[in-house]
Amino acid sequence: MSASLINLLWASTLQTLYMVALSTILGTLIGGPLGIFLATSRKGELYSSPVLNKVLGLVVNAARSVPFIILVVAIIPFTRLVVGTSIGTDAAIVPLTIAAAPFIARLIETAIREVDAGLIEAARSMGATPGQIVRKVLVAEAMPGIVLGLTLAVVSLIGYSAMVGAVGGKGLGDLGIRYGYQRFMPDVMAAVVVILIVLVQLVQSIGEWIASRFDKRAPRNRGR
């Protein structure tokens, strides 16, 4: 493989990392509060609002049910409105964020709902406010599950970022299509696949390690 192709692989990898990192941050900023609200707003819960909970749940489910490649094409006018273009890494971040936000919301909701209800009642009996319960009990106790959920979201976004290459999204997917497929260069396609596998493995390993640090039940190796 020539030096120019190696440079292209490096540049495409950086583009993929940029798209995934920014869309994960934006998706978490949107999906995080939404997931917390969905987990605490059923009837009788901290922020009881069953009607709004049901409406938001339907919206989240609808957004998650749209296949990603269709979502990318369907929101092209919105993408142009936001970033001024429908191609390139900045444009790809828009559909990636829209796909990530409802997914992250459901993952965080699930993690929070696994927290023992007895902890909530104990915090209430000590006079904690709903906000304090969310911050100091729910989020703190659910942190291992939240981290693992975000890890899953990042892994999914790596796969989605490869898909946006089919519609001019740049990154490793675009490189694999333009060189590996259209120019019949199987070595480039193989290199793209290997890099994507390595990225997924790294993200999964780092996410599991971080989650273990938050997990109070995980055994710790103690020096003697």
Side-chain angles (χ1 to χ4, degrees):
M1 189 178 293
S2 67
S4 61
L5 283 177
I6 292 175
N7 290 334
L8 277 174
L9 279 169
W10 175 246
S12 297
T13 301
L14 292 179
Q15 289 170 345
T16 293
L17 291 174
Y18 167 71
M19 289 188 290
V20 171
L22 196 52
S23 58
T24 299
I25 292 170
L26 294 174
T28 303
L29 290 175
I30 298 169
L34 181 57
I36 292 171
F37 181 77
L38 287 172
T40 58
S41 58
R42 290 182 183 175
K43 187 176 181 180
E45 294 181 335
L46 292 174
Y47 297 105
S48 181
S49 183
V51 174
L52 184 56
N53 180 284
K54 191 152 291 196
V55 171
L56 288 176
L58 289 173
V59 172
V60 167
N61 290 339
R64 289 181 59 200
S65 67
V66 179
F68 180 69
I69 195 66
I70 295 177
L71 174 68
V72 173
V73 176
I75 66 167
I76 283 177
F78 178 70
T79 301
R80 284 202 191 102
L81 180 66
V82 173
V83 296
T85 180
S86 61
I87 59 174
T89 53
D90 290 335
I93 289 170
V94 177
L96 286 172
T97 299
I98 292 175
F103 185 46
I104 290 173
R106 283 301 188 195
L107 291 172
I108 291 178
E109 178 192 7
T110 300
I112 288 176
R113 288 200 177 279
E114 290 177 354
V115 175
D116 186 355
L119 294 174
I120 301 174
E121 293 305 318
R124 272 177 163 169
S125 67
M126 290 187 289
T129 65
Q132 290 173 329
I133 294 173
V134 168
R135 292 194 310 273
K136 298 181 180 180
V137 178
L138 293 179
V139 173
E141 291 294 323
M143 190 56 70
I146 290 173
V147 171
L148 289 175
L150 290 176
T151 300
L152 177 60
V154 173
V155 169
S156 298
L157 285 172
I158 291 173
Y160 288 164
S161 71
M163 282 191 214
V164 295
V167 288
K170 301 296 183 183
L172 289 167
D174 177 64
L175 183 67
I177 291 171
R178 286 192 297 116
Y179 285 82
Y181 176 70
Q182 294 177 349
R183 301 190 187 186
F184 304 103
M185 299 175 71
D187 55 336
V188 174
M189 183 68 79
V192 167
V193 172
V194 169
I195 292 172
L196 289 171
I197 291 173
V198 170
L199 288 177
V200 168
Q201 292 297 327
L202 281 174
V203 167
Q204 190 67 45
S205 298
I206 293 171
E208 289 175 356
W209 178 80
I210 294 174
S212 71
R213 306 305 297 176
F214 281 108
D215 193 349
K216 299 173 184 176
R217 299 165 299 177
R220 297 283 188 266
N221 293 325
R222 300 177 184 270
R224 295 184 181 275

